Amino acid sequence: MNRFLLLTKKQIEDSVPQPFKRNGNRRGLSSMIVSTLLMLLLIAVMATAFVAIFGKLSATYVNIKINRLPDVAAREYELMTMCYFALILVFVCTSTAGLSRALFESGDLDALVTMPFSANDLFFSKLASVYIKQTAISIFFVTAINFTFFVATNTLTAYGGLVSFAVAFALPLVPLAISSVVVLPYYLLKRSLGSRYLLYFLLMTVVVGLFLVGYSYVFTLADALLDSGKISTLFNERTMAKISQFVTYAYPANIIANLLLERELGKSFGIFVAINVVATGLGIVIVKAIFTRALQARISLPVPHSKKKRLDFTEHSKAFGLFKKEFLSVIRTPSYSYMFFTTAAVVPIMVFFSARIGLGLVENLVGEHGYGFEISTFIVLLYGTLNNTFCSTNVSRDGSGAITMKALPYSPTAILSSKVAICSIVSFFSIAVSCIILGATGLERPIDAFVTFLSAIMIAAAQIFFATRLDLMRPHFSNTEDGEIKEANSTVSTVISLGLLTSFAIGAALLSGTIRAIVDKAPPTATPSALSYVLALVIPAVVLAAALTFFFVGLKRAYSELNTEV
Amino acid sequence: MEKVVKIENLSKRYKKSAVLAVDDFSLECFEGEIVGLLGHNGAGKSTTLKCLTGMLPPTSGKITVCGYDVQKEPVKAKSTFGFVSDKHDVFVKMTGLEYLNFIADAYGVSKAERIQRYEELEKIFRLEDRVFDVINDYSHGMRQKICMMGSLIHHPKLWILDEPMIGLDPLTSARVREFMKKYVSEGNCILFSTHNIASVQKVCSRAVIIANSKKLADFNVADFEANNDMTLEEYFLQITDGAQNDAPETEERFE
């Protein structure tokens, strides 16, 4: 095989997440099939939701009148320009991250430069792999946007299909050129933040929190749009004037919109080709310059040596020592800190918005406020479950340290308890904040919020114990030097699936009475039924007892058989 | 001299393997001894040490350290030794100082003892201000040094090391050898695995040769050198070469 193709194939294969790779045995094959089916299902659900919402938005938007005058062609142009502008922004982010990984973070250059590959082979294979991945995403988004738009506005033609195809392949070029300029500052910033653990955590939490607030705002608008077919509060005359002004300068998104809508075809085509040729050339020149430097000297910041501090040899208990070790391993690994601490911190925001939307839905159906306890409990259980999946790597995260720990004078229970403890503290805190918000905002009564809290912490504890023991039995150690786990494994999938299943089962049991009452148009009662309390407390207690049994039975034997090598 | 280690008829078979990684291995080590486990790659040295330290359960046999059965009283047994693994990529998110404190907490070492031992060990390993850095930023040799310091922070009766000299600079290696001799003179015992014959000659009082999972020889190094015409290297090659020829074919080793 041609060396360039060989390298490109390797780059693409390396970027496929582990669950989607076949491991050579039957279990590996079934795991791969299940992961692929789950992913396809998730994509199908997301695509369906997108088509429903964007289709409705397109049909609504093109009929907006300014000064009581309709201008469908202008609205179509504005809508497509805004969509492609947003898409280009997303692609700039994803291709910057992709380029940074390919050039600086993958670590394979150290080995590849010693092999008989030319610098050009290495460079073009890296660039090609980033482009191919971006194009795969582009095909998905362009197809979804264009065809939904064309169908919703009755403008589907063979020309539109053909241009959509060409646009899907050309769209990643401009973002790649922009990324080539910003990739080096991005990498240096990321590296410098990488050793400022607390700042990184706070920054990520604020960014994700703001994103979720924005997301819930968009979700509320989408809900209103689907419900009433109108979002006049957003698209008023002032906003429309701003949109009209913005799309005039939104290059190259407005050129793509022109091409798709057959407006100023010759001029738009010429500009589109010129922009892409310049972008491709610029991208190649800049990335090659960075790549050459990366090859010759490996762009790296000097190792940040700490200033001399006081030698602090304060004594702590054995349990505290273990707990501190666990905490440091999470907070000092940016991806772990994001997956666990940031997620836990933003769960209350998601719980609040979801509960508000859920209760609003019930109010629309029965005309009165009610069923706060049942809906809130279901939502808290669901988000708590998603947060705790991080604990599925409690043992694997230690890497080589997992077996080294066995030589220290700790019992298996002490070692694993420290992992369970840190997960539980974070999880319980997140659940507690969620319940306080639910109680304080009146989404459920304070006493009900307390029962929700008890129910959710029992399920969370059950999930943490179960996930930790499952990881002990089937650890997935990373091959990287620092042992960092960068992708989900089968234990994570199992814990997510079982967690969601349990939450949905309890949710279904709790909401069955509510749904029956809604169907019967019965007004909600002031307080939840005794059965709701029993279900919310007894089922989690049984699940927790089962998880504790699973955790403790045969624990010593399972721990003694833990080995990182064989 | 008191017995520190007693391994009786140890055998270890890994889950997916048809053959024994350690086959009927017995060994006793005493106070004041530096014992070198000498063998080629895959001979069974590391597996023996992992069973001794409780990292792997033996398939059969009994191991006691300072009178404690490693299987029945693991926490008491582990409190008596310090272990340096051949893998140093562990606890990399801690600073060197945090690591030393973590190990000291594990063994219940008092603050005064920590300070005193740190000062003693710092003279040998010379980490200086890098002790405040995160271990992830350390070189291989520095990681090995911090692991060695950690394993000695509680002044263990038995110091176990897996391939200790690989990665250490010559100066530190010499200092470590001197330290080893002084350490056992205080009534302690050292057991380490290696495939470096020169290390055994320079520092060990006893050598135990393992090949293909079995113990082939156990002798006093000084006596051997005084009473044999052949060098230790020649002797090692002679007896391990014969054992290699008796080894099962590769396809027989795995089910």
Tab-separated table of all heavy atoms in Angstrom, chain A residues 303 305-306 309 311-316 318 321 325 328 332-333 401 403 406 408-410 481 560 563 565, chain B residues 50 55 57 78 87 89-91 93-94 98 101-102 105-107 109-111 114 118 130 132-133 137 143:
chain	number	residue	atom	x	y	z
A	303	VAL	N	8.845	22.210	31.159
A	303	VAL	CA	8.149	21.591	32.284
A	303	VAL	C	8.068	22.613	33.416
A	303	VAL	O	9.081	23.197	33.803
A	303	VAL	CB	8.921	20.339	32.761
A	303	VAL	CG1	8.272	19.765	34.019
A	303	VAL	CG2	8.942	19.305	31.661
A	305	HIS	N	8.510	23.782	36.579
A	305	HIS	CA	9.055	23.396	37.884
A	305	HIS	C	8.447	24.258	38.985
A	305	HIS	O	8.334	25.469	38.830
A	305	HIS	CB	10.573	23.560	37.904
A	305	HIS	CG	11.245	22.655	36.929
A	305	HIS	ND1	11.013	21.306	36.892
A	305	HIS	CD2	12.123	22.921	35.940
A	305	HIS	CE1	11.737	20.768	35.925
A	305	HIS	NE2	12.416	21.725	35.319
A	306	SER	N	8.072	23.622	40.037
A	306	SER	CA	7.487	24.376	41.142
A	306	SER	C	8.569	25.160	41.859
A	306	SER	O	9.727	24.750	41.891
A	306	SER	CB	6.846	23.419	42.133
A	306	SER	OG	5.914	22.615	41.480
A	309	LYS	N	9.028	25.172	47.971
A	309	LYS	CA	8.017	25.389	49.007
A	309	LYS	C	8.521	24.776	50.300
A	309	LYS	O	9.583	24.181	50.349
A	309	LYS	CB	6.708	24.716	48.598
A	309	LYS	CG	6.097	25.279	47.345
A	309	LYS	CD	4.924	24.408	46.919
A	309	LYS	CE	4.492	24.724	45.496
A	309	LYS	NZ	3.659	23.694	44.923
A	311	LEU	N	8.731	22.074	53.107
A	311	LEU	CA	8.559	20.618	53.165
A	311	LEU	C	7.535	20.297	54.257
A	311	LEU	O	7.826	20.446	55.433
A	311	LEU	CB	9.895	19.947	53.491
A	311	LEU	CG	10.857	19.740	52.330
A	311	LEU	CD1	12.232	19.370	52.851
A	311	LEU	CD2	10.358	18.676	51.376
A	312	ASP	N	6.352	19.913	53.811
A	312	ASP	CA	5.282	19.651	54.772
A	312	ASP	C	5.102	18.151	54.930
A	312	ASP	O	4.686	17.457	53.997
A	312	ASP	CB	3.984	20.299	54.271
A	312	ASP	CG	2.837	20.080	55.237
A	312	ASP	OD1	3.068	19.524	56.327
A	312	ASP	OD2	1.708	20.461	54.895
A	313	PHE	N	5.445	17.644	56.088
A	313	PHE	CA	5.314	16.204	56.331
A	313	PHE	C	4.231	15.917	57.377
A	313	PHE	O	4.392	15.043	58.220
A	313	PHE	CB	6.654	15.616	56.785
A	313	PHE	CG	7.614	15.402	55.663
A	313	PHE	CD1	8.745	16.199	55.530
A	313	PHE	CD2	7.385	14.402	54.733
A	313	PHE	CE1	9.633	15.987	54.480
A	313	PHE	CE2	8.267	14.204	53.681
A	313	PHE	CZ	9.398	15.001	53.557
A	314	THR	N	3.132	16.652	57.264
A	314	THR	CA	2.046	16.450	58.236
A	314	THR	C	1.476	15.038	58.117
A	314	THR	O	1.247	14.545	57.019
A	314	THR	CB	0.922	17.482	57.981
A	314	THR	OG1	1.528	18.758	57.934
A	314	THR	CG2	-0.128	17.435	59.085
A	315	GLU	N	1.251	14.433	59.267
A	315	GLU	CA	0.685	13.073	59.311
A	315	GLU	C	-0.817	13.088	59.071
A	315	GLU	O	-1.504	13.998	59.524
A	315	GLU	CB	0.855	12.549	60.742
A	315	GLU	CG	1.996	11.639	60.966
A	315	GLU	CD	1.972	11.194	62.432
A	315	GLU	OE1	1.326	10.184	62.755
A	315	GLU	OE2	2.623	11.891	63.216
A	316	HIS	N	-1.299	12.102	58.370
A	316	HIS	CA	-2.748	11.938	58.212
A	316	HIS	C	-3.077	10.473	58.427
A	316	HIS	O	-2.189	9.608	58.409
A	316	HIS	CB	-3.200	12.372	56.817
A	316	HIS	CG	-3.022	13.830	56.560
A	316	HIS	ND1	-3.798	14.782	57.179
A	316	HIS	CD2	-2.142	14.504	55.773
A	316	HIS	CE1	-3.407	15.981	56.776
A	316	HIS	NE2	-2.397	15.843	55.934
A	318	LYS	N	-4.607	6.720	57.488
A	318	LYS	CA	-4.465	5.897	56.282
A	318	LYS	C	-5.621	6.173	55.325
A	318	LYS	O	-5.443	6.281	54.114
A	318	LYS	CB	-4.474	4.404	56.666
A	318	LYS	CG	-3.206	3.963	57.377
A	318	LYS	CD	-3.321	2.530	57.864
A	318	LYS	CE	-2.991	1.558	56.766
A	318	LYS	NZ	-2.756	0.184	57.246
A	321	GLY	N	-5.221	9.449	53.534
A	321	GLY	CA	-4.195	9.320	52.490
A	321	GLY	C	-4.792	8.747	51.209
A	321	GLY	O	-4.550	9.252	50.106
A	325	LYS	N	-5.377	10.712	47.589
A	325	LYS	CA	-4.828	10.158	46.338
A	325	LYS	C	-5.905	10.136	45.258
A	325	LYS	O	-5.666	10.525	44.111
A	325	LYS	CB	-4.292	8.748	46.607
A	325	LYS	CG	-3.922	7.978	45.375
A	325	LYS	CD	-3.763	6.508	45.680
A	325	LYS	CE	-3.981	5.629	44.501
A	325	LYS	NZ	-5.332	5.538	44.008
A	328	LEU	N	-6.772	13.751	44.102
A	328	LEU	CA	-5.738	14.357	43.254
A	328	LEU	C	-5.743	13.751	41.856
A	328	LEU	O	-5.534	14.441	40.868
A	328	LEU	CB	-4.353	14.177	43.898
A	328	LEU	CG	-4.096	14.979	45.179
A	328	LEU	CD1	-2.706	14.670	45.730
A	328	LEU	CD2	-4.228	16.473	44.931
A	332	ARG	N	-6.476	16.504	39.004
A	332	ARG	CA	-5.288	16.828	38.193
A	332	ARG	C	-5.305	16.160	36.821
A	332	ARG	O	-4.296	16.203	36.104
A	332	ARG	CB	-4.022	16.443	38.964
A	332	ARG	CG	-3.788	17.385	40.122
A	332	ARG	CD	-2.513	17.093	40.843
A	332	ARG	NE	-2.358	18.006	41.973
A	332	ARG	CZ	-1.471	17.841	42.925
A	332	ARG	NH1	-0.655	16.804	42.907
A	332	ARG	NH2	-1.380	18.698	43.920
A	333	THR	N	-6.389	15.522	36.462
A	333	THR	CA	-6.527	15.010	35.099
A	333	THR	C	-7.702	15.764	34.483
A	333	THR	O	-8.857	15.504	34.836
A	333	THR	CB	-6.809	13.490	35.097
A	333	THR	OG1	-5.873	12.862	35.958
A	333	THR	CG2	-6.729	12.903	33.702
A	401	GLY	N	-0.732	1.527	38.853
A	401	GLY	CA	-0.866	1.755	40.291
A	401	GLY	C	-1.853	0.803	40.950
A	401	GLY	O	-1.769	0.554	42.155
A	403	ILE	N	-2.107	-2.365	40.714
A	403	ILE	CA	-1.439	-3.551	41.266
A	403	ILE	C	-0.371	-3.161	42.291
A	403	ILE	O	-0.145	-3.876	43.270
A	403	ILE	CB	-0.889	-4.476	40.157
A	403	ILE	CG1	-0.435	-5.797	40.773
A	403	ILE	CG2	0.167	-3.852	39.314
A	403	ILE	CD1	-0.304	-6.926	39.810
A	406	LYS	N	-1.552	-3.023	45.740
A	406	LYS	CA	-1.746	-4.299	46.438
A	406	LYS	C	-0.565	-4.640	47.333
A	406	LYS	O	-0.676	-5.501	48.215
A	406	LYS	CB	-1.973	-5.428	45.421
A	406	LYS	CG	-3.295	-5.287	44.689
A	406	LYS	CD	-3.422	-6.274	43.553
A	406	LYS	CE	-3.756	-7.654	44.027
A	406	LYS	NZ	-3.915	-8.595	42.903
A	408	LEU	N	0.837	-2.434	49.245
A	408	LEU	CA	0.783	-1.546	50.409
A	408	LEU	C	-0.125	-2.147	51.492
A	408	LEU	O	-1.041	-2.916	51.173
A	408	LEU	CB	0.258	-0.170	49.994
A	408	LEU	CG	1.149	0.626	49.034
A	408	LEU	CD1	0.477	1.934	48.650
A	408	LEU	CD2	2.515	0.900	49.642
A	409	PRO	N	0.111	-1.784	52.746
A	409	PRO	CA	-0.660	-2.403	53.828
A	409	PRO	C	-2.080	-1.862	53.965
A	409	PRO	O	-2.434	-1.238	54.959
A	409	PRO	CB	0.182	-2.097	55.072
A	409	PRO	CG	0.911	-0.853	54.736
A	409	PRO	CD	1.151	-0.879	53.268
A	410	TYR	N	-2.852	-2.040	52.921
A	410	TYR	CA	-4.261	-1.661	52.933
A	410	TYR	C	-5.088	-2.894	52.620
A	410	TYR	O	-4.692	-3.708	51.774
A	410	TYR	CB	-4.560	-0.625	51.838
A	410	TYR	CG	-4.113	0.779	52.143
A	410	TYR	CD1	-3.091	1.374	51.411
A	410	TYR	CD2	-4.742	1.519	53.133
A	410	TYR	CE1	-2.692	2.671	51.670
A	410	TYR	CE2	-4.346	2.821	53.399
A	410	TYR	CZ	-3.317	3.389	52.666
A	410	TYR	OH	-2.938	4.667	52.934
A	481	GLU	N	1.172	6.327	29.045
A	481	GLU	CA	2.181	6.426	30.099
A	481	GLU	C	1.573	6.809	31.447
A	481	GLU	O	1.945	6.272	32.487
A	481	GLU	CB	3.225	7.476	29.687
A	481	GLU	CG	4.465	7.430	30.527
A	481	GLU	CD	5.423	8.557	30.169
A	481	GLU	OE1	5.479	8.948	28.992
A	481	GLU	OE2	6.085	9.039	31.082
A	560	SER	N	-7.699	-9.983	44.993
A	560	SER	CA	-6.402	-10.672	44.954
A	560	SER	C	-6.069	-11.145	43.537
A	560	SER	O	-4.909	-11.290	43.178
A	560	SER	CB	-6.394	-11.858	45.930
A	560	SER	OG	-7.137	-12.924	45.390
A	563	ASN	N	-4.956	-8.114	38.209
A	563	ASN	CA	-3.608	-8.021	37.660
A	563	ASN	C	-3.644	-7.114	36.444
A	563	ASN	O	-4.550	-7.202	35.626
A	563	ASN	CB	-3.098	-9.411	37.258
A	563	ASN	CG	-1.624	-9.405	36.932
A	563	ASN	OD1	-0.953	-8.374	37.032
A	563	ASN	ND2	-1.099	-10.542	36.545
A	565	GLU	N	-1.370	-7.013	34.097
A	565	GLU	CA	-0.592	-7.487	32.955
A	565	GLU	C	-1.144	-8.719	32.269
A	565	GLU	O	-0.954	-8.907	31.075
A	565	GLU	CB	0.846	-7.784	33.399
A	565	GLU	CG	1.604	-6.515	33.692
A	565	GLU	CD	2.867	-6.788	34.467
A	565	GLU	OE1	3.450	-7.851	34.250
A	565	GLU	OE2	3.234	-5.956	35.287
B	50	LYS	N	5.995	-10.722	42.985
B	50	LYS	CA	4.583	-10.285	43.077
B	50	LYS	C	3.797	-11.184	44.032
B	50	LYS	O	2.910	-10.710	44.741
B	50	LYS	CB	3.936	-10.274	41.690
B	50	LYS	CG	4.334	-9.034	40.899
B	50	LYS	CD	3.758	-9.018	39.522
B	50	LYS	CE	4.201	-7.746	38.804
B	50	LYS	NZ	3.901	-7.803	37.375
B	55	MET	N	0.838	-9.105	45.640
B	55	MET	CA	0.220	-8.511	44.447
B	55	MET	C	-0.482	-9.564	43.608
B	55	MET	O	-1.409	-9.244	42.859
B	55	MET	CB	1.290	-7.791	43.616
B	55	MET	CG	1.811	-6.547	44.302
B	55	MET	SD	3.370	-5.980	43.634
B	55	MET	CE	2.846	-5.089	42.212
B	57	PRO	N	-2.018	-13.736	43.864
B	57	PRO	CA	-2.226	-14.891	44.749
B	57	PRO	C	-1.468	-16.104	44.206
B	57	PRO	O	-1.509	-16.370	42.999
B	57	PRO	CB	-3.740	-15.131	44.663
B	57	PRO	CG	-4.148	-14.566	43.345
B	57	PRO	CD	-3.179	-13.484	42.996
B	78	LYS	N	2.476	-6.952	54.936
B	78	LYS	CA	2.880	-5.849	54.058
B	78	LYS	C	3.464	-4.666	54.846
B	78	LYS	O	4.210	-3.863	54.283
B	78	LYS	CB	1.676	-5.385	53.224
B	78	LYS	CG	1.285	-6.397	52.139
B	78	LYS	CD	-0.044	-6.048	51.499
B	78	LYS	CE	-0.499	-7.175	50.598
B	78	LYS	NZ	-1.829	-6.905	49.996
B	87	LYS	N	7.589	-1.156	37.483
B	87	LYS	CA	6.759	-0.129	36.815
B	87	LYS	C	6.777	1.122	37.692
B	87	LYS	O	6.401	1.075	38.851
B	87	LYS	CB	5.314	-0.613	36.696
B	87	LYS	CG	5.117	-1.808	35.781
B	87	LYS	CD	4.462	-1.359	34.506
B	87	LYS	CE	4.067	-2.454	33.562
B	87	LYS	NZ	4.852	-3.644	33.526
B	89	ASP	N	5.383	4.092	36.526
B	89	ASP	CA	4.369	5.050	36.052
B	89	ASP	C	3.147	5.020	36.969
B	89	ASP	O	2.020	4.864	36.496
B	89	ASP	CB	3.952	4.692	34.622
B	89	ASP	CG	5.131	4.683	33.694
B	89	ASP	OD1	6.065	5.450	33.945
B	89	ASP	OD2	5.125	3.898	32.736
B	90	VAL	N	3.380	5.115	38.251
B	90	VAL	CA	2.248	5.033	39.173
B	90	VAL	C	2.148	6.314	39.999
B	90	VAL	O	3.150	6.985	40.228
B	90	VAL	CB	2.393	3.817	40.116
B	90	VAL	CG1	2.281	2.537	39.319
B	90	VAL	CG2	3.696	3.851	40.870
B	91	PHE	N	0.960	6.636	40.412
B	91	PHE	CA	0.707	7.826	41.230
B	91	PHE	C	1.289	9.083	40.587
B	91	PHE	O	1.822	9.949	41.264
B	91	PHE	CB	1.282	7.651	42.639
B	91	PHE	CG	0.912	6.340	43.278
B	91	PHE	CD1	1.862	5.372	43.527
B	91	PHE	CD2	-0.407	6.073	43.616
B	91	PHE	CE1	1.515	4.155	44.097
B	91	PHE	CE2	-0.761	4.857	44.180
B	91	PHE	CZ	0.197	3.890	44.421
B	93	LYS	N	-0.005	11.631	39.275
B	93	LYS	CA	-0.684	12.908	39.469
B	93	LYS	C	-0.299	13.565	40.791
B	93	LYS	O	-0.724	14.670	41.097
B	93	LYS	CB	-2.204	12.724	39.421
B	93	LYS	CG	-2.712	12.175	38.111
B	93	LYS	CD	-2.464	13.126	36.966
B	93	LYS	CE	-2.850	12.477	35.653
B	93	LYS	NZ	-2.557	13.345	34.505
B	94	MET	N	0.483	12.858	41.608
B	94	MET	CA	0.926	13.441	42.877
B	94	MET	C	2.289	14.103	42.685
B	94	MET	O	3.050	13.698	41.801
B	94	MET	CB	1.116	12.344	43.926
B	94	MET	CG	-0.155	11.724	44.422
B	94	MET	SD	0.291	10.459	45.647
B	94	MET	CE	-1.304	10.067	46.285
B	98	GLU	N	3.973	14.725	47.947
B	98	GLU	CA	2.651	14.133	48.249
B	98	GLU	C	2.734	12.605	48.226
B	98	GLU	O	2.114	11.924	49.038
B	98	GLU	CB	1.607	14.603	47.227
B	98	GLU	CG	1.150	16.029	47.450
B	98	GLU	CD	0.405	16.618	46.257
B	98	GLU	OE1	0.437	16.008	45.160
B	98	GLU	OE2	-0.173	17.695	46.410
B	101	ASN	N	4.396	11.402	51.407
B	101	ASN	CA	3.446	11.497	52.526
B	101	ASN	C	2.362	10.429	52.434
B	101	ASN	O	1.937	9.887	53.454
B	101	ASN	CB	2.805	12.888	52.558
B	101	ASN	CG	3.631	13.868	53.361
B	101	ASN	OD1	4.145	13.529	54.429
B	101	ASN	ND2	3.801	15.073	52.849
B	102	PHE	N	1.917	10.137	51.196
B	102	PHE	CA	0.891	9.109	51.011
B	102	PHE	C	1.394	7.752	51.508
B	102	PHE	O	0.714	7.032	52.251
B	102	PHE	CB	0.513	9.033	49.516
B	102	PHE	CG	-0.290	7.820	49.152
B	102	PHE	CD1	-1.573	7.628	49.662
B	102	PHE	CD2	0.232	6.850	48.299
B	102	PHE	CE1	-2.314	6.499	49.330
B	102	PHE	CE2	-0.497	5.726	47.965
B	102	PHE	CZ	-1.780	5.542	48.487
B	105	ASP	N	1.756	7.814	55.260
B	105	ASP	CA	0.433	7.651	55.897
B	105	ASP	C	0.023	6.179	55.877
B	105	ASP	O	-0.542	5.670	56.854
B	105	ASP	CB	-0.634	8.475	55.155
B	105	ASP	CG	-0.514	9.969	55.427
B	105	ASP	OD1	0.071	10.334	56.466
B	105	ASP	OD2	-0.994	10.771	54.602
B	106	ALA	N	0.304	5.527	54.755
B	106	ALA	CA	-0.094	4.109	54.617
B	106	ALA	C	0.583	3.252	55.687
B	106	ALA	O	-0.014	2.307	56.207
B	106	ALA	CB	0.268	3.594	53.224
B	107	TYR	N	1.831	3.587	56.019
B	107	TYR	CA	2.576	2.792	57.001
B	107	TYR	C	2.529	3.389	58.403
B	107	TYR	O	3.172	2.871	59.313
B	107	TYR	CB	4.044	2.635	56.565
B	107	TYR	CG	4.217	1.730	55.373
B	107	TYR	CD1	4.364	2.239	54.092
B	107	TYR	CD2	4.230	0.334	55.519
B	107	TYR	CE1	4.518	1.415	52.991
B	107	TYR	CE2	4.380	-0.496	54.422
B	107	TYR	CZ	4.517	0.054	53.162
B	107	TYR	OH	4.662	-0.784	52.081
B	109	VAL	N	3.746	6.325	59.549
B	109	VAL	CA	5.036	6.894	59.983
B	109	VAL	C	4.794	8.279	60.609
B	109	VAL	O	4.053	9.088	60.045
B	109	VAL	CB	5.989	7.033	58.764
B	109	VAL	CG1	7.347	7.578	59.197
B	109	VAL	CG2	6.147	5.692	58.065
B	110	SER	N	5.425	8.537	61.744
B	110	SER	CA	5.207	9.820	62.425
B	110	SER	C	5.911	10.956	61.666
B	110	SER	O	6.789	10.706	60.834
B	110	SER	CB	5.774	9.765	63.847
B	110	SER	OG	7.187	9.738	63.777
B	111	LYS	N	5.502	12.183	61.975
B	111	LYS	CA	6.066	13.342	61.282
B	111	LYS	C	7.582	13.434	61.488
B	111	LYS	O	8.339	13.668	60.540
B	111	LYS	CB	5.376	14.611	61.781
B	111	LYS	CG	5.790	15.858	61.043
B	111	LYS	CD	5.008	17.065	61.500
B	111	LYS	CE	5.483	18.300	60.744
B	111	LYS	NZ	4.743	19.501	61.107
B	114	ARG	N	9.345	10.890	59.427
B	114	ARG	CA	9.313	11.241	57.998
B	114	ARG	C	10.424	12.236	57.668
B	114	ARG	O	11.130	12.076	56.671
B	114	ARG	CB	7.980	11.911	57.631
B	114	ARG	CG	6.820	10.993	57.653
B	114	ARG	CD	5.529	11.729	57.373
B	114	ARG	NE	4.425	10.903	57.848
B	114	ARG	CZ	3.197	10.939	57.386
B	114	ARG	NH1	2.877	11.785	56.432
B	114	ARG	NH2	2.264	10.148	57.860
B	118	TYR	N	13.446	11.347	55.282
B	118	TYR	CA	13.534	12.103	54.042
B	118	TYR	C	14.942	12.686	53.908
B	118	TYR	O	15.554	12.620	52.836
B	118	TYR	CB	12.482	13.214	53.997
B	118	TYR	CG	12.705	14.171	52.859
B	118	TYR	CD1	12.366	13.806	51.552
B	118	TYR	CD2	13.300	15.415	53.062
B	118	TYR	CE1	12.604	14.656	50.497
B	118	TYR	CE2	13.537	16.276	52.019
B	118	TYR	CZ	13.188	15.897	50.736
B	118	TYR	OH	13.440	16.738	49.685
B	130	ARG	N	12.794	19.196	42.916
B	130	ARG	CA	11.852	18.460	42.050
B	130	ARG	C	10.853	17.651	42.875
B	130	ARG	O	9.863	17.165	42.343
B	130	ARG	CB	12.615	17.513	41.102
B	130	ARG	CG	13.511	18.199	40.084
B	130	ARG	CD	12.766	19.162	39.172
B	130	ARG	NE	11.645	18.583	38.466
B	130	ARG	CZ	11.721	17.944	37.316
B	130	ARG	NH1	12.893	17.806	36.719
B	130	ARG	NH2	10.647	17.455	36.723
B	132	PHE	N	8.834	18.822	44.733
B	132	PHE	CA	7.583	19.594	44.738
B	132	PHE	C	6.832	19.484	43.415
B	132	PHE	O	5.724	19.977	43.277
B	132	PHE	CB	7.860	21.084	45.023
B	132	PHE	CG	8.529	21.323	46.350
B	132	PHE	CD1	9.853	21.737	46.425
B	132	PHE	CD2	7.822	21.120	47.537
B	132	PHE	CE1	10.464	21.951	47.644
B	132	PHE	CE2	8.439	21.333	48.759
B	132	PHE	CZ	9.761	21.744	48.817
B	133	ASP	N	7.448	18.855	42.407
B	133	ASP	CA	6.809	18.735	41.087
B	133	ASP	C	5.931	17.497	41.010
B	133	ASP	O	6.146	16.516	41.728
B	133	ASP	CB	7.886	18.638	39.986
B	133	ASP	CG	8.622	19.946	39.803
B	133	ASP	OD1	8.106	20.979	40.260
B	133	ASP	OD2	9.722	19.924	39.226
B	137	ASP	N	5.807	14.754	35.477
B	137	ASP	CA	6.849	15.529	34.803
B	137	ASP	C	8.254	14.966	35.060
B	137	ASP	O	9.232	15.533	34.581
B	137	ASP	CB	6.799	16.995	35.269
B	137	ASP	CG	5.518	17.684	34.850
B	137	ASP	OD1	4.929	17.251	33.838
B	137	ASP	OD2	5.094	18.644	35.527
B	143	ARG	N	11.559	8.973	38.479
B	143	ARG	CA	10.405	8.215	39.000
B	143	ARG	C	10.892	7.018	39.823
B	143	ARG	O	10.320	6.677	40.854
B	143	ARG	CB	9.544	7.713	37.843
B	143	ARG	CG	8.782	8.816	37.160
B	143	ARG	CD	7.907	8.291	36.049
B	143	ARG	NE	7.321	9.408	35.326
B	143	ARG	CZ	6.277	9.331	34.535
B	143	ARG	NH1	5.688	8.171	34.337
B	143	ARG	NH2	5.807	10.385	33.910
